[in-house]
């Protein structure tokens, strides 16, 4: 009874449809377009941030700008990377029980009429050296070295000597790396050389000088007999005597030296030269 009375007193509000419901049948979330746009932006931004951090932490020398930005060293030339398949030669055993070692033989890439990038780079280096030595003091003795082995110092020094000889400049190339003798193997093994002169096995420096077969203006002093004590030989007075005797007869004297990281040879010879490359 009470329920009936309540139901009779309740008057429902009349309703009327004004507009029919309308809209897309697709869901409002997730929004595929927004997700694809955000994914595209993240995909482009994230690699850029990674590359920026990687380049910022990269301390390797990749060009002239890297050296000028971090050091005060003057740059006299840039030589592009050269690689023709890494030709190797076999060397005899260094000691009993060790396997035969293989070392890369530097290539002589400088040619008289070649105008490729590496030949032009060596010509630019030659012009800079000529400008540096065109002084009344005649500072024409250069030492070529590097921090680590395999950096290309023998490659640069030998091809630089050929570049100067092509221009008919009187050049003396000295293989001062008496441990590896890379330049001596490349130019051709000679029996008597720098080690024999420094060890007083020969009296005259002229007996250890060999003329290049193709370029008569290029003379070479090879290593000669491999010594057991290169540092002691270089520390003697005959190294300075050799350079003082040869300086007036040549336009350029290039000395190929070992690396400076673990060997003292370059520091010893450095006291007798005019500039270090």
């Amino acid at each position: 009874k009470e329920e009936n009375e309540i139901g009779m007193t309740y008057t429902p509000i009349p309703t009327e449809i004004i507009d029919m419901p309308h809209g897309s049948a697709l869901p409002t979330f997730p929004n595929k377009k927004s997700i694809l746009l955000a994914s595209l932006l993240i995909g482009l931004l994230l690699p850029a941030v990674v590359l920026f951090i990687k380049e910022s932490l990269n301390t390797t020398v990749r060009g002239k700008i890297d050296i000028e930005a971090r050091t005060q060293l003057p740059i006299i030339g840039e030589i592009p990377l050269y690689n023709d398949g890494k030709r190797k030669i076999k060397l005899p055993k260094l000691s009993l029980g060790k396997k035969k070692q293989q070392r890369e033989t530097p290539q002589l890439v400088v040619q008289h009429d070649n105008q490729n990038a590496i030949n032009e780079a060596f010509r630019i280096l030659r012009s800079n050296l000529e400008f540096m030595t065109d002084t009344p003091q005649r500072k024409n003795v250069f030492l070529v070295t590097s921090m680590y082995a395999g950096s290309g110092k023998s490659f640069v020094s030998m091809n630089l000597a050929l570049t100067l000889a092509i221009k008919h400049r009187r050049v003396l190339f000295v293989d001062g790396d008496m441990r590896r003798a890379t330049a001596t193997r490349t130019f051709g093994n000679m029996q008597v050389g720098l080690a024999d002169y420094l060890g007083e096995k020969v009296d005259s420096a002229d007996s250890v000088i060999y003329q290049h077969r193709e370029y008569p203006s290029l003379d070479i002093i090879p290593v000669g007999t491999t010594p057991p004590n290169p540092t002691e030989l270089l520390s003697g007075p005959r190294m300075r005597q050799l350079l003082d005797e040869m300086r007036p007869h040549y336009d350029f004297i290039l000395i190929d030296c070992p690396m400076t990281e673990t060997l003292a040879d370059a520091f010893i010879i450095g006291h007798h030269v005019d500039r270090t490359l």
Side-chain angles (χ1 to χ4, degrees):
K1 180 179 179 179
E2 292 178 354
E3 290 179 356
N4 291 334
E5 290 178 354
I6 293 174
M8 293 178 64
T9 57
Y10 173 72
T11 304
I13 300 175
T15 59
E16 181 180 358
I17 297 176
I18 305 298
D19 291 318
M20 291 296 295
H22 63 277
S24 176
L26 299 176
T28 57
F29 184 84
N31 191 334
K32 291 185 177 180
K33 292 183 178 180
S34 300
I35 293 176
L36 290 176
L37 181 60
S39 301
L40 180 62
L41 293 177
I42 293 175
L44 294 176
L45 183 61
L46 186 60
V49 173
V50 173
L51 291 177
F52 175 77
I53 296 175
K54 184 178 179 180
E55 291 298 319
S56 300
L57 299 177
N58 190 354
T59 58
T60 58
V61 177
R62 293 158 294 178
K64 181 178 179 180
I65 299 179
D66 295 329
I67 299 179
E68 292 179 336
R70 294 178 172 88
T71 68
Q72 300 297 325
L73 297 175
I75 308 300
I76 63 171
E78 286 183 283
I79 305 300
L81 180 64
Y82 178 80
N83 184 2
D84 68 339
K86 296 183 178 180
R87 184 183 65 175
K88 297 182 178 181
I89 62 173
K90 292 183 179 180
L91 297 178
K93 293 182 180 180
L94 298 179
S95 61
L96 295 177
K98 291 186 178 180
K99 296 182 179 179
K100 292 183 178 181
Q101 295 184 353
Q102 290 184 344
R103 294 176 183 168
E104 297 179 8
T105 304
Q107 302 296 305
L108 301 178
V109 298
V110 172
Q111 300 174 355
H112 188 273
D113 297 325
N114 199 328
Q115 298 182 356
N116 59 9
I118 194 166
N119 275 263
E120 290 298 328
F122 275 108
R123 293 188 183 103
I124 294 174
L125 179 58
R126 177 185 63 189
S127 300
N128 292 335
L129 286 183
E130 290 176 337
F131 178 78
M132 294 168 59
T133 56
D134 190 15
T135 59
Q137 293 79 13
R138 196 169 181 78
K139 296 182 177 181
N140 59 348
V141 182
F142 292 87
L143 182 149
V144 183
T145 185
S146 62
M147 182 66 68
Y148 305 105
S151 301
K153 59 177 181 56
S154 298
F155 172 80
V156 171
S157 59
M158 289 188 299
N159 284 280
L160 177 59
L162 291 178
T163 308
L164 293 167
I166 288 176
K167 201 176 177 182
H168 305 291
R169 306 301 295 269
R170 290 286 298 165
V171 183
L172 176 63
F173 181 89
V174 182
D175 190 357
D177 192 350
M178 289 186 282
R179 290 176 170 84
R180 304 185 66 179
T182 304
T184 299
R185 297 196 311 271
T186 304
F187 282 125
N189 291 316
M190 299 84 166
Q191 299 299 324
V192 183
L194 179 64
D196 302 279
Y197 176 79
L198 298 181
E200 299 183 1
K201 295 182 180 179
V202 294
D203 297 329
S204 174
D206 295 332
S207 59
V208 298
I209 298 177
Y210 300 85
Q211 188 180 57
H212 194 274
R213 293 186 298 269
E214 186 177 355
Y215 302 103
S217 62
L218 173 60
D219 291 338
I220 302 167
I221 297 181
V223 171
T225 306
T226 303
N229 55 344
T231 305
E232 285 74 11
L233 291 179
L234 295 173
S235 302
R238 302 205 81 182
M239 187 65 195
R240 178 181 292 275
Q241 178 183 343
L242 173 65
L243 296 178
D244 292 341
E245 181 181 350
M246 296 298 151
R247 188 189 299 268
H249 302 290
Y250 293 94
D251 298 322
F252 295 90
I253 299 177
L254 302 178
I255 307 175
D256 182 24
C257 287
M259 60 180 180
T260 61
E261 178 67 15
T262 57
L263 301 175
D265 298 16
F267 295 102
I268 297 173
I269 302 177
H271 294 292
H272 312 315
V273 303
D274 300 317
R275 294 181 177 90
T276 298
L277 305 183

